[in-house]
Amino acid sequence: MSGSMTAAQILSMADELVPNPFSTQIKLFLFNQIEQRIRIDTLGEAPVTVQTVTADSMTTSTCRLDERYLDVYLCWLKAQLYWNMGEYDVYENERAMFEAAWDRFERDVCYAEHMGTGGPETDGLSEAEANDLRALLAVYQTVTNADEEEY
């Protein structure tokens, strides 16, 4: 399952958290950087197949990740906004927060790949933990299978 939040919603949140002078086009450029990193680095998509969100599609294009990973988007955007405003100390803090959020996302993806689709791999887990694992696997499998249909 891809995220249900749109690029416009993410950018609006980032604007509320970090008032900034940048145009929507600049912020879309920054948003597309993290979307591409997700798709290429983690999900293994070829760079030539990665679509970008535009001003025309930002209210309808949903994020690759669901709300559990909202911090990946927001920390990335906040760090980049602070960097571009010359607030380097704040940037360093936000970058560290982004790296922590990114590491958690990648650990979840790697764990989902390692665990497979359930069954014997869920032995020893509580029902809630097994359900969480199944939900994560469903997100991972849907995201990796959704190529051109997203945008």
Side-chain angles (χ1 to χ4, degrees):
M1 143 183 52
S2 291
S4 58
M5 298 199 68
T6 65
Q9 290 171 313
I10 301 279
L11 294 181
S12 176
M13 285 182 186
D15 281 341
E16 285 183 42
L17 294 168
V18 182
N20 64 82
F22 302 112
S23 69
T24 300
Q25 288 304 113
I26 296 295
K27 290 179 272 195
L28 278 173
F29 173 78
L30 299 173
F31 176 85
N32 282 317
Q33 285 180 325
I34 190 60
E35 280 283 279
Q36 290 175 0
R37 182 172 177 185
I38 292 164
R39 294 174 70 130
I40 295 168
D41 292 356
T42 305
L43 304 178
E45 295 182 21
V48 295
T49 66
V50 175
Q51 307 263 331
T52 57
V53 177
T54 65
D56 293 335
S57 67
M58 68 186 259
T59 59
T60 57
S61 294
T62 56
C63 300
R64 297 298 287 168
L65 305 179
D66 66 25
E67 288 82 2
R68 289 178 291 173
Y69 302 107
L70 178 61
D71 56 342
V72 169
Y73 293 102
L74 289 177
C75 290
W76 170 263
L77 288 168
K78 288 168 34 182
Q80 297 307 309
L81 291 170
Y82 282 123
W83 172 264
N84 285 291
M85 291 188 299
E87 297 185 35
Y88 303 117
D89 290 339
V90 182
Y91 159 79
E92 285 297 329
N93 290 334
E94 292 296 334
R95 185 192 59 74
M97 291 173 64
F98 165 74
E99 291 299 331
W102 182 260
D103 288 346
R104 181 177 54 85
F105 163 65
E106 282 195 322
R107 272 193 313 273
D108 288 353
V109 169
C110 290
Y111 183 71
E113 284 181 320
H114 175 71
M115 293 300 287
T117 57
E121 296 87 355
T122 61
D123 289 348
L125 296 179
S126 71
E127 188 61 31
E129 291 170 326
N131 287 337
D132 286 346
L133 176 60
R134 288 184 194 101
L136 180 61
L137 289 169
V139 169
Y140 175 74
Q141 290 167 347
T142 302
V143 168
T144 57
N145 292 333
D147 292 331
E148 290 82 37
E149 61 188 278
E150 273 303 306
Y151 298 98

